């Protein structure tokens, strides 16, 4: 409705100051000509709105004019923007309504509270749909406050993290992370962060220590929390229908392994020295177990798809499940038979 659009124009101008006509048109999904007609309508109704020409021009209100609605504290405004975070309204068809409501709330806030409210909407997401229930669900999250401090301070964070299935849960792996924000996924909190420039997902209840560093965060330019979450969420949901494979990779080949198969990984467990005892599904005692290894978990669409790992020869060993080991053994034997005896 035109009345709703006129109010949206007014609230955007009140919140943002001078706004280019084309940006208003994009935000409200109308043409630039329609925006100028709306400006004329606002002016005719007594609203002191005007257009500035030139490179830095746009539509603006006279200084000091505002629709004054007050009373919200800083914490109340942040709470509203967490409640209204993206992700929960699309299924109800309320995306447009929530956008309009947030503009009204933002315009109503006292000016000092606006930056904190806007930052909250960019740094915290609430996603109510569930993946699968794990044994850690419902456990207290001891370091969520520290992770939140890092997110809002735009600082790097050093965490001690225990991966699922780690051999020793009392010895977490230490990572320095560049956080984008926090996501609540059906009651389970996740830290979305870059590790060495690559997007990663960390369950907050597996964080055993957390320390905010003095270094500013190193996020990828132009990338927001919602963008990274969408990619990571898609990865997890795509893997749930495949076969989970546990393998170990020689550390000196791990970089190449990541480049080729990083999209299929669900878990990485760094081990400084490989175990030399029995492994799930069997394993040889031919010296493969010696040296430094990285244990990984990845998902293959089917058993035969795991044959791509044979390209790494003895630098990758599948530990489980047994049917994948058997499939690779058959494939390796078939290749070996081609080269036995004279040509």
């Amino acid at each position: 409705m035109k009345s709703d659009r006129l109010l949206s124009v007014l609230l955007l101008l009140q919140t943002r100051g001078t706004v280019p006509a084309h940006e208003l048109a994009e935000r409200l999904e109308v043409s630039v000509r329609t925006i100028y007609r709306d400006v004329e309508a606002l002016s005719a109704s007594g609203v002191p709105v005007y257009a500035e020409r030139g490179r830095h021009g746009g539509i603006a209100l006279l200084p000091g004019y505002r629709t004054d609605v007050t009373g919200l504290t800083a914490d109340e405004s942040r709470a509203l923007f967490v409640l209204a975070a993206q992700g929960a309204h699309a299924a109800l068809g309320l995306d447009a309504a929530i956008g309009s409501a947030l503009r009204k709330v933002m315009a109503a806030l006292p000016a000092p509270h606006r930056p904190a409210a806007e930052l909250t909407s960019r740094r915290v997401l609430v996603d109510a749909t569930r993946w699968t229930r794990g044994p850690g669900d419902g456990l207290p999250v001891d370091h969520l406050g520290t992770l939140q401090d890092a997110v809002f301070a735009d600082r790097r964070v050093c965490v001690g993290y225990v991966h699922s299935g780690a051999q020793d849960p009392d010895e977490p792996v230490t990572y320095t992370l560049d956080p984008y924000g926090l996501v609540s996924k059906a009651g389970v909190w996740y830290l979305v962060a870059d590790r060495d420039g690559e997007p990663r997902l960390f369950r907050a209840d597996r964080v055993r220590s957390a320390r905010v560093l003095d270094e500013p965060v190193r996020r990828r330019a132009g990338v927001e929390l919602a963008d990274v979450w969408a990619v990571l969420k898609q990865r997890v949901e795509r893997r749930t229908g495949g076969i989970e494979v546990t393998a170990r990779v020689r550390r000196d080949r791990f970089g190449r392994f990541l480049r080729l198969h990083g999209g299929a990984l669900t878990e990485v467990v760094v081990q400084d020295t490989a175990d030399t005892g029995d492994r799930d599904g069997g394993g040889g005692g031919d010296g493969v177990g010696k040296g430094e290894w990285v244990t990984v978990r990845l998902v293959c669409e089917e058993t035969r798809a795991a044959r791509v790992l044979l390209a790494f020869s003895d630098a990758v060993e599948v530990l489980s499940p047994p049917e994948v080991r058997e499939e690779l053994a058959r494939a390796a034997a078939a290749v070996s038979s081609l080269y036995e005896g004279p040509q």
Side-chain angles (χ1 to χ4, degrees), residues 214-235:
D214 292 332
E215 304 172 57
V217 70
R218 302 173 187 175
R219 300 189 187 103
R220 285 166 285 147
V223 179
E224 292 285 347
L225 168 63
D227 304 322
V228 186
W229 171 246
V231 172
L232 294 173
K233 179 180 176 181
Q234 185 180 37
R235 286 184 187 176

Side-chain angles (χ1 to χ4, degrees), residues 66-73 76 107-111:
R66 62 178 285 111
T67 54
D68 191 17
V69 183
T70 59
L72 289 175
T73 67
E76 287 170 346
L109 294 179

Side-chain angles (χ1 to χ4, degrees), residues 48-104:
V49 61
Y50 64 97
E52 287 185 341
R53 298 185 180 277
R55 181 179 178 183
H56 301 291
I59 312 299
L61 294 170
L62 285 179
Y65 179 85
R66 62 178 285 111
T67 54
D68 191 17
V69 183
T70 59
L72 289 175
T73 67
D75 285 343
E76 287 170 346
S77 62
R78 288 180 63 180
L80 284 174
F81 274 75
V82 170
L83 177 66
Q86 295 177 4
H89 303 90
L92 300 176
L94 295 175
D95 278 350
I98 197 65
S100 176
L102 288 181
R103 285 193 291 270
K104 294 174 183 177

